[in-house]
Amino acid sequence: MTQTAYRAQLLTFRDDPAHASDGAIFEEDGLLIVEDGRVVAAGAYTALRSRLAPDAIVKTMRDKLIVPGFIDSHIHYPQTDMIASPAPGLLPWLNTYTFPTERAFSDPAHARETASFFLDELLACGTTTALVYCTVHKESADAFFGESESRNLRMVAGKVLMDRNCPDFLQDTAQSGYDDSAELIARWHNRGRQQYALTPRFAPTSTEAQLEACGVLARAHEDVFIQTHVAENTDEIKWVESLFPGHRSYLDIYDHYSLLRRRAVYGHCIHLDDADRQRMAETGAVASHCPTSNLFLGSGLFDFEKAGAANMPVALATDVGGGTSFSMLQTMNEAHKIARLTGHHLTATRMFWLSTTGAAKVLDLDDKVGTLAPGSEADFAVLDPAGTPLLARRTSRAESLEELLFAFALLGDDRAVFETYAAGNCVHRRDARKGAALELAA
Ligand code: GUN
Ligand code: ZN
């Protein structure tokens, strides 16, 4: 296969920049060599140009910054059409907008069309891997994986488990949820780049029997992901206490059913205590911090200081449709401000780590995605420091890598993503999409 190489600025990571001052690897004049959908080499142009095959195609874009594709650790594809729906908090928002919207995903055609738009939107934002909630309908998961597979994306997704405290039209049972999840694991887990996540929505919408059945599946499939919500909202927590009396904490309920482990990803983790954070760290379960959602729904402020002190694994996420943007850059913007409000300075360099290599590491995906290391799947985003006039003005004055990344994080969104690549294929071109949108509007 022909090599394709990209001469550009490069950013990747060898370690968490919060712990290692040389954690970020930046090449001002870099070369990324790709072949057969994988990274062959990434580094300084001068050091690597001799490794180019004679027939290599070299794309020169020295004004652009290539970063590993972003990883969104928590998002709901069926909520695409209800993003930005007003409600006075989580529980009324779920009842008024979320559940009625999710009803339509029993229809495979609707599910496929929404999944297709959703994936295009993620790719437009430079996100190449996401942990995705489908709906209770197994058809919704088949539709999502089908669309992801046809684009050859690395995605993790699962059918929601929900057997109580929601409308009848969205309920499964402990048995049917178990059977459908087992069937979907057999069909999709590790098929190409697709991976499965057991997805109990949150403790209030599952009976003890359903959580038990989920734990059985989790033990039977040690490498499947688990995703759910925990400690997002104070009304939710009171409700959980009344439904599951006798547990030390909300998190302890999931622990009881063997759902705390590596590759278990817990959305929000706002109102945890120190013992909970310690338990997350001990088990390797991941806190998925969803800043735009937490501000939008008024859920509370994630505490980076306490997360760090406990060594709790953390990744960033949009949580669309509770989240208000598909962009991990906009997610960083709000993460920075939430950290600021809790007395923590969250650097842009670290937010890029948390959205790429750091996320891949805590999800046990770092041998596949999240870096530009040789052998990695060639999933990357090409960022444009001149994506908007204001971004151009600010980035032209950046005096350090941190200042450049900070400008991207605070001022950037999909307009700052020039191209996105998955397994070496260009899966998004900003200017082509903009052209298509203008044509549609005309
Ligand atoms: N808790 C249970 N379901 C949901 C959901 O769809 N979104 C958010 N943000 N929290 C939840
Ligand atoms: Zn969510």
Side-chain angles (χ1 to χ4, degrees), residues 73 131 133 156 196-200 214-215 217-219 221-228 254 257-267 285-286 363:
S73 63
L131 271 75
Y133 287 61
V156 181
Y196 198 78
L198 292 164
T199 309
C214 187
L217 277 173
R219 285 192 292 272
H221 301 277
E222 284 184 354
D223 73 328
V224 301
F225 292 78
I226 298 167
Q227 56 182 353
T228 187
Y254 297 122
Y257 293 103
S258 315
L259 299 174
L260 286 187
R261 69 174 192 195
R262 287 198 66 84
R263 285 197 166 174
V265 182
Y266 282 81
V286 179
L363 297 168

PDB file of all heavy atoms in Angstrom, residues 73 131 133 156 196-200 214-215 217-219 221-228 254 257-267 285-286 363:
ATOM      1  N   SER A  73     -15.795  10.394  26.078  1.00  0.00           N
ATOM      2  CA  SER A  73     -16.019   9.201  26.912  1.00  0.00           C
ATOM      3  C   SER A  73     -17.473   9.004  27.356  1.00  0.00           C
ATOM      4  O   SER A  73     -17.753   8.049  28.097  1.00  0.00           O
ATOM      5  CB  SER A  73     -15.093   9.245  28.136  1.00  0.00           C
ATOM      6  OG  SER A  73     -15.392  10.356  28.942  1.00  0.00           O
ATOM      7  N   LEU A 131     -17.729   6.795  23.528  1.00  0.00           N
ATOM      8  CA  LEU A 131     -18.507   5.796  24.261  1.00  0.00           C
ATOM      9  C   LEU A 131     -19.953   6.253  24.206  1.00  0.00           C
ATOM     10  O   LEU A 131     -20.311   7.281  24.783  1.00  0.00           O
ATOM     11  CB  LEU A 131     -18.026   5.671  25.710  1.00  0.00           C
ATOM     12  CG  LEU A 131     -16.909   4.633  25.892  1.00  0.00           C
ATOM     13  CD1 LEU A 131     -15.596   5.172  25.365  1.00  0.00           C
ATOM     14  CD2 LEU A 131     -16.788   4.222  27.334  1.00  0.00           C
ATOM     15  N   TYR A 133     -24.188   5.888  24.212  1.00  0.00           N
ATOM     16  CA  TYR A 133     -25.430   5.260  24.658  1.00  0.00           C
ATOM     17  C   TYR A 133     -26.376   5.192  23.465  1.00  0.00           C
ATOM     18  O   TYR A 133     -26.573   6.194  22.772  1.00  0.00           O
ATOM     19  CB  TYR A 133     -26.111   6.089  25.747  1.00  0.00           C
ATOM     20  CG  TYR A 133     -25.441   6.058  27.103  1.00  0.00           C
ATOM     21  CD1 TYR A 133     -24.133   6.509  27.283  1.00  0.00           C
ATOM     22  CD2 TYR A 133     -26.141   5.602  28.226  1.00  0.00           C
ATOM     23  CE1 TYR A 133     -23.533   6.486  28.528  1.00  0.00           C
ATOM     24  CE2 TYR A 133     -25.549   5.587  29.484  1.00  0.00           C
ATOM     25  CZ  TYR A 133     -24.246   6.024  29.631  1.00  0.00           C
ATOM     26  OH  TYR A 133     -23.660   6.011  30.872  1.00  0.00           O
ATOM     27  N   VAL A 156     -17.383   2.611  20.742  1.00  0.00           N
ATOM     28  CA  VAL A 156     -17.852   1.742  21.819  1.00  0.00           C
ATOM     29  C   VAL A 156     -19.298   2.140  22.090  1.00  0.00           C
ATOM     30  O   VAL A 156     -19.579   3.327  22.283  1.00  0.00           O
ATOM     31  CB  VAL A 156     -17.015   1.965  23.099  1.00  0.00           C
ATOM     32  CG1 VAL A 156     -17.493   1.054  24.215  1.00  0.00           C
ATOM     33  CG2 VAL A 156     -15.522   1.781  22.822  1.00  0.00           C
ATOM     34  N   TYR A 196     -18.293  -3.289  22.533  1.00  0.00           N
ATOM     35  CA  TYR A 196     -19.583  -3.194  23.230  1.00  0.00           C
ATOM     36  C   TYR A 196     -19.432  -2.656  24.651  1.00  0.00           C
ATOM     37  O   TYR A 196     -18.457  -2.947  25.338  1.00  0.00           O
ATOM     38  CB  TYR A 196     -20.269  -4.574  23.281  1.00  0.00           C
ATOM     39  CG  TYR A 196     -21.738  -4.410  23.595  1.00  0.00           C
ATOM     40  CD1 TYR A 196     -22.627  -4.002  22.607  1.00  0.00           C
ATOM     41  CD2 TYR A 196     -22.219  -4.586  24.900  1.00  0.00           C
ATOM     42  CE1 TYR A 196     -23.968  -3.788  22.900  1.00  0.00           C
ATOM     43  CE2 TYR A 196     -23.559  -4.375  25.200  1.00  0.00           C
ATOM     44  CZ  TYR A 196     -24.425  -3.976  24.185  1.00  0.00           C
ATOM     45  OH  TYR A 196     -25.744  -3.747  24.480  1.00  0.00           O
ATOM     46  N   ALA A 197     -20.436  -1.902  25.059  1.00  0.00           N
ATOM     47  CA  ALA A 197     -20.519  -1.429  26.451  1.00  0.00           C
ATOM     48  C   ALA A 197     -21.863  -1.842  27.055  1.00  0.00           C
ATOM     49  O   ALA A 197     -22.930  -1.466  26.528  1.00  0.00           O
ATOM     50  CB  ALA A 197     -20.384   0.090  26.513  1.00  0.00           C
ATOM     51  N   LEU A 198     -21.817  -2.609  28.143  1.00  0.00           N
ATOM     52  CA  LEU A 198     -23.041  -2.856  28.926  1.00  0.00           C
ATOM     53  C   LEU A 198     -23.501  -1.499  29.450  1.00  0.00           C
ATOM     54  O   LEU A 198     -22.696  -0.748  30.002  1.00  0.00           O
ATOM     55  CB  LEU A 198     -22.740  -3.811  30.077  1.00  0.00           C
ATOM     56  CG  LEU A 198     -22.394  -5.237  29.641  1.00  0.00           C
ATOM     57  CD1 LEU A 198     -21.741  -6.000  30.798  1.00  0.00           C
ATOM     58  CD2 LEU A 198     -23.648  -5.948  29.140  1.00  0.00           C
ATOM     59  N   THR A 199     -24.802  -1.194  29.303  1.00  0.00           N
ATOM     60  CA  THR A 199     -25.238   0.181  29.504  1.00  0.00           C
ATOM     61  C   THR A 199     -26.489   0.300  30.386  1.00  0.00           C
ATOM     62  O   THR A 199     -27.565   0.686  29.900  1.00  0.00           O
ATOM     63  CB  THR A 199     -25.457   0.857  28.120  1.00  0.00           C
ATOM     64  OG1 THR A 199     -24.290   0.647  27.302  1.00  0.00           O
ATOM     65  CG2 THR A 199     -25.708   2.352  28.238  1.00  0.00           C
ATOM     66  N   PRO A 200     -26.398  -0.072  31.668  1.00  0.00           N
ATOM     67  CA  PRO A 200     -27.543   0.246  32.541  1.00  0.00           C
ATOM     68  C   PRO A 200     -27.641   1.771  32.637  1.00  0.00           C
ATOM     69  O   PRO A 200     -26.657   2.425  32.962  1.00  0.00           O
ATOM     70  CB  PRO A 200     -27.144  -0.376  33.888  1.00  0.00           C
ATOM     71  CG  PRO A 200     -25.659  -0.549  33.840  1.00  0.00           C
ATOM     72  CD  PRO A 200     -25.275  -0.680  32.389  1.00  0.00           C
ATOM     73  N   CYS A 214     -26.743  -7.762  34.795  1.00  0.00           N
ATOM     74  CA  CYS A 214     -25.684  -6.996  34.137  1.00  0.00           C
ATOM     75  C   CYS A 214     -24.316  -7.413  34.695  1.00  0.00           C
ATOM     76  O   CYS A 214     -23.346  -7.587  33.944  1.00  0.00           O
ATOM     77  CB  CYS A 214     -25.960  -5.508  34.364  1.00  0.00           C
ATOM     78  SG  CYS A 214     -24.868  -4.446  33.442  1.00  0.00           S
ATOM     79  N   GLY A 215     -24.266  -7.615  36.015  1.00  0.00           N
ATOM     80  CA  GLY A 215     -23.024  -8.068  36.646  1.00  0.00           C
ATOM     81  C   GLY A 215     -22.607  -9.442  36.137  1.00  0.00           C
ATOM     82  O   GLY A 215     -21.419  -9.709  35.939  1.00  0.00           O
ATOM     83  N   LEU A 217     -23.231 -10.668  33.151  1.00  0.00           N
ATOM     84  CA  LEU A 217     -22.656 -10.463  31.810  1.00  0.00           C
ATOM     85  C   LEU A 217     -21.270  -9.837  31.896  1.00  0.00           C
ATOM     86  O   LEU A 217     -20.364 -10.198  31.140  1.00  0.00           O
ATOM     87  CB  LEU A 217     -23.565  -9.538  30.992  1.00  0.00           C
ATOM     88  CG  LEU A 217     -24.755 -10.203  30.293  1.00  0.00           C
ATOM     89  CD1 LEU A 217     -25.652  -9.131  29.667  1.00  0.00           C
ATOM     90  CD2 LEU A 217     -24.280 -11.190  29.235  1.00  0.00           C
ATOM     91  N   ALA A 218     -21.110  -8.905  32.829  1.00  0.00           N
ATOM     92  CA  ALA A 218     -19.804  -8.232  32.965  1.00  0.00           C
ATOM     93  C   ALA A 218     -18.736  -9.252  33.355  1.00  0.00           C
ATOM     94  O   ALA A 218     -17.623  -9.227  32.825  1.00  0.00           O
ATOM     95  CB  ALA A 218     -19.894  -7.121  34.010  1.00  0.00           C
ATOM     96  N   ARG A 219     -19.081 -10.153  34.250  1.00  0.00           N
ATOM     97  CA  ARG A 219     -18.090 -11.163  34.676  1.00  0.00           C
ATOM     98  C   ARG A 219     -17.780 -12.146  33.549  1.00  0.00           C
ATOM     99  O   ARG A 219     -16.666 -12.625  33.409  1.00  0.00           O
ATOM    100  CB  ARG A 219     -18.580 -11.894  35.925  1.00  0.00           C
ATOM    101  CG  ARG A 219     -18.463 -11.041  37.191  1.00  0.00           C
ATOM    102  CD  ARG A 219     -18.677 -11.875  38.455  1.00  0.00           C
ATOM    103  NE  ARG A 219     -20.052 -12.348  38.562  1.00  0.00           N
ATOM    104  CZ  ARG A 219     -21.047 -11.658  39.134  1.00  0.00           C
ATOM    105  NH1 ARG A 219     -20.812 -10.466  39.648  1.00  0.00           N
ATOM    106  NH2 ARG A 219     -22.260 -12.160  39.182  1.00  0.00           N
ATOM    107  N   HIS A 221     -17.765 -11.420  30.400  1.00  0.00           N
ATOM    108  CA  HIS A 221     -17.061 -10.731  29.298  1.00  0.00           C
ATOM    109  C   HIS A 221     -16.150  -9.670  29.898  1.00  0.00           C
ATOM    110  O   HIS A 221     -16.514  -8.510  30.010  1.00  0.00           O
ATOM    111  CB  HIS A 221     -18.076 -10.083  28.345  1.00  0.00           C
ATOM    112  CG  HIS A 221     -19.036 -11.047  27.739  1.00  0.00           C
ATOM    113  ND1 HIS A 221     -18.726 -11.795  26.628  1.00  0.00           N
ATOM    114  CD2 HIS A 221     -20.285 -11.414  28.099  1.00  0.00           C
ATOM    115  CE1 HIS A 221     -19.744 -12.574  26.325  1.00  0.00           C
ATOM    116  NE2 HIS A 221     -20.708 -12.361  27.204  1.00  0.00           N
ATOM    117  N   GLU A 222     -14.962 -10.098  30.269  1.00  0.00           N
ATOM    118  CA  GLU A 222     -14.093  -9.201  31.045  1.00  0.00           C
ATOM    119  C   GLU A 222     -13.614  -7.983  30.279  1.00  0.00           C
ATOM    120  O   GLU A 222     -13.240  -6.983  30.886  1.00  0.00           O
ATOM    121  CB  GLU A 222     -12.884  -9.989  31.568  1.00  0.00           C
ATOM    122  CG  GLU A 222     -13.270 -10.858  32.731  1.00  0.00           C
ATOM    123  CD  GLU A 222     -12.085 -11.570  33.342  1.00  0.00           C
ATOM    124  OE1 GLU A 222     -10.972 -11.483  32.791  1.00  0.00           O
ATOM    125  OE2 GLU A 222     -12.304 -12.228  34.379  1.00  0.00           O
ATOM    126  N   ASP A 223     -13.595  -8.077  28.949  1.00  0.00           N
ATOM    127  CA  ASP A 223     -13.084  -6.911  28.213  1.00  0.00           C
ATOM    128  C   ASP A 223     -14.182  -6.036  27.634  1.00  0.00           C
ATOM    129  O   ASP A 223     -13.882  -5.080  26.928  1.00  0.00           O
ATOM    130  CB  ASP A 223     -12.100  -7.349  27.112  1.00  0.00           C
ATOM    131  CG  ASP A 223     -12.808  -8.014  25.946  1.00  0.00           C
ATOM    132  OD1 ASP A 223     -13.842  -8.679  26.177  1.00  0.00           O
ATOM    133  OD2 ASP A 223     -12.345  -7.862  24.791  1.00  0.00           O
ATOM    134  N   VAL A 224     -15.458  -6.330  27.907  1.00  0.00           N
ATOM    135  CA  VAL A 224     -16.471  -5.374  27.443  1.00  0.00           C
ATOM    136  C   VAL A 224     -16.442  -4.165  28.373  1.00  0.00           C
ATOM    137  O   VAL A 224     -16.006  -4.240  29.528  1.00  0.00           O
ATOM    138  CB  VAL A 224     -17.921  -5.932  27.353  1.00  0.00           C
ATOM    139  CG1 VAL A 224     -18.038  -7.109  26.426  1.00  0.00           C
ATOM    140  CG2 VAL A 224     -18.506  -6.210  28.703  1.00  0.00           C
ATOM    141  N   PHE A 225     -16.891  -3.048  27.833  1.00  0.00           N
ATOM    142  CA  PHE A 225     -16.991  -1.827  28.627  1.00  0.00           C
ATOM    143  C   PHE A 225     -18.301  -1.866  29.421  1.00  0.00           C
ATOM    144  O   PHE A 225     -19.212  -2.638  29.126  1.00  0.00           O
ATOM    145  CB  PHE A 225     -16.974  -0.607  27.702  1.00  0.00           C
ATOM    146  CG  PHE A 225     -15.644  -0.383  27.019  1.00  0.00           C
ATOM    147  CD1 PHE A 225     -15.262  -1.141  25.925  1.00  0.00           C
ATOM    148  CD2 PHE A 225     -14.768   0.580  27.490  1.00  0.00           C
ATOM    149  CE1 PHE A 225     -14.033  -0.946  25.304  1.00  0.00           C
ATOM    150  CE2 PHE A 225     -13.532   0.790  26.879  1.00  0.00           C
ATOM    151  CZ  PHE A 225     -13.172   0.019  25.781  1.00  0.00           C
ATOM    152  N   ILE A 226     -18.354  -1.006  30.434  1.00  0.00           N
ATOM    153  CA  ILE A 226     -19.592  -0.787  31.192  1.00  0.00           C
ATOM    154  C   ILE A 226     -19.755   0.723  31.224  1.00  0.00           C
ATOM    155  O   ILE A 226     -18.768   1.444  31.408  1.00  0.00           O
ATOM    156  CB  ILE A 226     -19.459  -1.333  32.627  1.00  0.00           C
ATOM    157  CG1 ILE A 226     -19.211  -2.847  32.620  1.00  0.00           C
ATOM    158  CG2 ILE A 226     -20.693  -0.983  33.462  1.00  0.00           C
ATOM    159  CD1 ILE A 226     -18.755  -3.409  33.975  1.00  0.00           C
ATOM    160  N   GLN A 227     -20.963   1.219  31.012  1.00  0.00           N
ATOM    161  CA  GLN A 227     -21.155   2.668  31.137  1.00  0.00           C
ATOM    162  C   GLN A 227     -22.487   2.957  31.805  1.00  0.00           C
ATOM    163  O   GLN A 227     -23.491   2.289  31.561  1.00  0.00           O
ATOM    164  CB  GLN A 227     -21.057   3.373  29.773  1.00  0.00           C
ATOM    165  CG  GLN A 227     -22.008   2.852  28.714  1.00  0.00           C
ATOM    166  CD  GLN A 227     -21.842   3.538  27.360  1.00  0.00           C
ATOM    167  OE1 GLN A 227     -21.091   4.505  27.225  1.00  0.00           O
ATOM    168  NE2 GLN A 227     -22.560   3.052  26.344  1.00  0.00           N
ATOM    169  N   THR A 228     -22.468   3.940  32.689  1.00  0.00           N
ATOM    170  CA  THR A 228     -23.695   4.355  33.372  1.00  0.00           C
ATOM    171  C   THR A 228     -23.475   5.759  33.943  1.00  0.00           C
ATOM    172  O   THR A 228     -22.465   6.402  33.657  1.00  0.00           O
ATOM    173  CB  THR A 228     -24.099   3.320  34.448  1.00  0.00           C
ATOM    174  OG1 THR A 228     -25.381   3.670  34.983  1.00  0.00           O
ATOM    175  CG2 THR A 228     -23.102   3.241  35.586  1.00  0.00           C
ATOM    176  N   TYR A 254     -23.417   0.122  42.526  1.00  0.00           N
ATOM    177  CA  TYR A 254     -22.755  -0.475  41.353  1.00  0.00           C
ATOM    178  C   TYR A 254     -21.643  -1.435  41.785  1.00  0.00           C
ATOM    179  O   TYR A 254     -21.441  -2.488  41.173  1.00  0.00           O
ATOM    180  CB  TYR A 254     -22.178   0.628  40.458  1.00  0.00           C
ATOM    181  CG  TYR A 254     -23.219   1.571  39.865  1.00  0.00           C
ATOM    182  CD1 TYR A 254     -23.166   2.947  40.095  1.00  0.00           C
ATOM    183  CD2 TYR A 254     -24.249   1.076  39.067  1.00  0.00           C
ATOM    184  CE1 TYR A 254     -24.100   3.810  39.530  1.00  0.00           C
ATOM    185  CE2 TYR A 254     -25.195   1.932  38.509  1.00  0.00           C
ATOM    186  CZ  TYR A 254     -25.109   3.297  38.743  1.00  0.00           C
ATOM    187  OH  TYR A 254     -26.038   4.143  38.186  1.00  0.00           O
ATOM    188  N   TYR A 257     -22.859  -4.877  42.594  1.00  0.00           N
ATOM    189  CA  TYR A 257     -23.187  -5.752  41.457  1.00  0.00           C
ATOM    190  C   TYR A 257     -21.983  -5.983  40.537  1.00  0.00           C
ATOM    191  O   TYR A 257     -22.136  -6.300  39.352  1.00  0.00           O
ATOM    192  CB  TYR A 257     -24.389  -5.172  40.685  1.00  0.00           C
ATOM    193  CG  TYR A 257     -25.650  -5.231  41.521  1.00  0.00           C
ATOM    194  CD1 TYR A 257     -26.144  -4.085  42.140  1.00  0.00           C
ATOM    195  CD2 TYR A 257     -26.299  -6.445  41.749  1.00  0.00           C
ATOM    196  CE1 TYR A 257     -27.276  -4.143  42.941  1.00  0.00           C
ATOM    197  CE2 TYR A 257     -27.430  -6.513  42.556  1.00  0.00           C
ATOM    198  CZ  TYR A 257     -27.909  -5.361  43.149  1.00  0.00           C
ATOM    199  OH  TYR A 257     -29.016  -5.431  43.951  1.00  0.00           O
ATOM    200  N   SER A 258     -20.781  -5.806  41.042  1.00  0.00           N
ATOM    201  CA  SER A 258     -19.532  -6.078  40.280  1.00  0.00           C
ATOM    202  C   SER A 258     -19.396  -5.184  39.051  1.00  0.00           C
ATOM    203  O   SER A 258     -18.893  -5.622  38.012  1.00  0.00           O
ATOM    204  CB  SER A 258     -19.445  -7.527  39.792  1.00  0.00           C
ATOM    205  OG  SER A 258     -19.790  -8.426  40.758  1.00  0.00           O
ATOM    206  N   LEU A 259     -19.867  -3.967  39.166  1.00  0.00           N
ATOM    207  CA  LEU A 259     -19.807  -3.082  37.998  1.00  0.00           C
ATOM    208  C   LEU A 259     -18.715  -2.018  38.115  1.00  0.00           C
ATOM    209  O   LEU A 259     -18.656  -1.099  37.301  1.00  0.00           O
ATOM    210  CB  LEU A 259     -21.185  -2.430  37.770  1.00  0.00           C
ATOM    211  CG  LEU A 259     -22.319  -3.440  37.489  1.00  0.00           C
ATOM    212  CD1 LEU A 259     -23.671  -2.739  37.417  1.00  0.00           C
ATOM    213  CD2 LEU A 259     -22.058  -4.229  36.207  1.00  0.00           C
ATOM    214  N   LEU A 260     -17.859  -2.148  39.117  1.00  0.00           N
ATOM    215  CA  LEU A 260     -16.699  -1.245  39.213  1.00  0.00           C
ATOM    216  C   LEU A 260     -15.473  -2.038  38.803  1.00  0.00           C
ATOM    217  O   LEU A 260     -15.106  -3.015  39.456  1.00  0.00           O
ATOM    218  CB  LEU A 260     -16.502  -0.757  40.652  1.00  0.00           C
ATOM    219  CG  LEU A 260     -17.463   0.287  41.197  1.00  0.00           C
ATOM    220  CD1 LEU A 260     -16.991   0.768  42.566  1.00  0.00           C
ATOM    221  CD2 LEU A 260     -17.587   1.465  40.263  1.00  0.00           C
ATOM    222  N   ARG A 261     -14.850  -1.609  37.754  1.00  0.00           N
ATOM    223  CA  ARG A 261     -13.632  -2.293  37.279  1.00  0.00           C
ATOM    224  C   ARG A 261     -13.018  -1.460  36.170  1.00  0.00           C
ATOM    225  O   ARG A 261     -13.553  -0.423  35.798  1.00  0.00           O
ATOM    226  CB  ARG A 261     -13.974  -3.691  36.764  1.00  0.00           C
ATOM    227  CG  ARG A 261     -14.799  -3.654  35.472  1.00  0.00           C
ATOM    228  CD  ARG A 261     -14.977  -5.047  34.935  1.00  0.00           C
ATOM    229  NE  ARG A 261     -15.504  -5.054  33.593  1.00  0.00           N
ATOM    230  CZ  ARG A 261     -16.012  -6.142  33.015  1.00  0.00           C
ATOM    231  NH1 ARG A 261     -16.073  -7.283  33.668  1.00  0.00           N
ATOM    232  NH2 ARG A 261     -16.445  -6.091  31.773  1.00  0.00           N
ATOM    233  N   ARG A 262     -11.917  -1.938  35.605  1.00  0.00           N
ATOM    234  CA  ARG A 262     -11.368  -1.242  34.440  1.00  0.00           C
ATOM    235  C   ARG A 262     -12.374  -1.325  33.300  1.00  0.00           C
ATOM    236  O   ARG A 262     -13.148  -2.275  33.210  1.00  0.00           O
ATOM    237  CB  ARG A 262     -10.020  -1.844  34.035  1.00  0.00           C
ATOM    238  CG  ARG A 262      -8.912  -1.458  35.021  1.00  0.00           C
ATOM    239  CD  ARG A 262      -7.521  -1.646  34.464  1.00  0.00           C
ATOM    240  NE  ARG A 262      -7.176  -0.773  33.368  1.00  0.00           N
ATOM    241  CZ  ARG A 262      -6.709   0.469  33.500  1.00  0.00           C
ATOM    242  NH1 ARG A 262      -6.553   1.003  34.699  1.00  0.00           N
ATOM    243  NH2 ARG A 262      -6.410   1.178  32.426  1.00  0.00           N
ATOM    244  N   ARG A 263     -12.351  -0.319  32.475  1.00  0.00           N
ATOM    245  CA  ARG A 263     -13.291  -0.188  31.355  1.00  0.00           C
ATOM    246  C   ARG A 263     -14.732   0.049  31.822  1.00  0.00           C
ATOM    247  O   ARG A 263     -15.658  -0.085  31.024  1.00  0.00           O
ATOM    248  CB  ARG A 263     -13.227  -1.366  30.401  1.00  0.00           C
ATOM    249  CG  ARG A 263     -11.994  -1.324  29.521  1.00  0.00           C
ATOM    250  CD  ARG A 263     -12.135  -2.250  28.311  1.00  0.00           C
ATOM    251  NE  ARG A 263     -11.096  -1.942  27.327  1.00  0.00           N
ATOM    252  CZ  ARG A 263     -10.885  -2.647  26.233  1.00  0.00           C
ATOM    253  NH1 ARG A 263     -11.618  -3.699  25.960  1.00  0.00           N
ATOM    254  NH2 ARG A 263      -9.933  -2.297  25.379  1.00  0.00           N
ATOM    255  N   ALA A 264     -14.943   0.372  33.108  1.00  0.00           N
ATOM    256  CA  ALA A 264     -16.274   0.795  33.565  1.00  0.00           C
ATOM    257  C   ALA A 264     -16.232   2.314  33.676  1.00  0.00           C
ATOM    258  O   ALA A 264     -15.367   2.865  34.355  1.00  0.00           O
ATOM    259  CB  ALA A 264     -16.591   0.164  34.917  1.00  0.00           C
ATOM    260  N   VAL A 265     -17.144   2.968  32.976  1.00  0.00           N
ATOM    261  CA  VAL A 265     -17.052   4.424  32.815  1.00  0.00           C
ATOM    262  C   VAL A 265     -18.292   5.073  33.419  1.00  0.00           C
ATOM    263  O   VAL A 265     -19.424   4.793  32.994  1.00  0.00           O
ATOM    264  CB  VAL A 265     -16.910   4.772  31.320  1.00  0.00           C
ATOM    265  CG1 VAL A 265     -16.750   6.277  31.128  1.00  0.00           C
ATOM    266  CG2 VAL A 265     -15.705   4.036  30.728  1.00  0.00           C
ATOM    267  N   TYR A 266     -18.064   5.921  34.416  1.00  0.00           N
ATOM    268  CA  TYR A 266     -19.146   6.500  35.207  1.00  0.00           C
ATOM    269  C   TYR A 266     -19.343   7.972  34.862  1.00  0.00           C
ATOM    270  O   TYR A 266     -18.480   8.815  35.147  1.00  0.00           O
ATOM    271  CB  TYR A 266     -18.840   6.298  36.706  1.00  0.00           C
ATOM    272  CG  TYR A 266     -19.153   4.876  37.070  1.00  0.00           C
ATOM    273  CD1 TYR A 266     -18.250   3.857  36.810  1.00  0.00           C
ATOM    274  CD2 TYR A 266     -20.411   4.537  37.556  1.00  0.00           C
ATOM    275  CE1 TYR A 266     -18.573   2.535  37.042  1.00  0.00           C
ATOM    276  CE2 TYR A 266     -20.757   3.215  37.797  1.00  0.00           C
ATOM    277  CZ  TYR A 266     -19.833   2.224  37.536  1.00  0.00           C
ATOM    278  OH  TYR A 266     -20.173   0.918  37.754  1.00  0.00           O
ATOM    279  N   GLY A 267     -20.484   8.264  34.230  1.00  0.00           N
ATOM    280  CA  GLY A 267     -20.781   9.638  33.831  1.00  0.00           C
ATOM    281  C   GLY A 267     -21.018  10.520  35.043  1.00  0.00           C
ATOM    282  O   GLY A 267     -21.752  10.142  35.959  1.00  0.00           O
ATOM    283  N   ALA A 285     -12.024   2.049  37.726  1.00  0.00           N
ATOM    284  CA  ALA A 285     -13.198   2.617  37.050  1.00  0.00           C
ATOM    285  C   ALA A 285     -12.925   4.091  36.735  1.00  0.00           C
ATOM    286  O   ALA A 285     -12.179   4.762  37.438  1.00  0.00           O
ATOM    287  CB  ALA A 285     -14.436   2.476  37.928  1.00  0.00           C
ATOM    288  N   VAL A 286     -13.536   4.568  35.661  1.00  0.00           N
ATOM    289  CA  VAL A 286     -13.204   5.888  35.116  1.00  0.00           C
ATOM    290  C   VAL A 286     -14.332   6.881  35.374  1.00  0.00           C
ATOM    291  O   VAL A 286     -15.503   6.583  35.110  1.00  0.00           O
ATOM    292  CB  VAL A 286     -12.992   5.775  33.583  1.00  0.00           C
ATOM    293  CG1 VAL A 286     -12.660   7.129  32.970  1.00  0.00           C
ATOM    294  CG2 VAL A 286     -11.905   4.750  33.271  1.00  0.00           C
ATOM    295  N   LEU A 363      -9.045   3.848  29.369  1.00  0.00           N
ATOM    296  CA  LEU A 363     -10.017   2.955  28.732  1.00  0.00           C
ATOM    297  C   LEU A 363      -9.356   1.694  28.159  1.00  0.00           C
ATOM    298  O   LEU A 363     -10.013   0.907  27.464  1.00  0.00           O
ATOM    299  CB  LEU A 363     -10.744   3.700  27.606  1.00  0.00           C
ATOM    300  CG  LEU A 363     -11.580   4.907  28.047  1.00  0.00           C
ATOM    301  CD1 LEU A 363     -12.000   5.745  26.837  1.00  0.00           C
ATOM    302  CD2 LEU A 363     -12.795   4.467  28.843  1.00  0.00           C
TER     303      LEU A 363
END
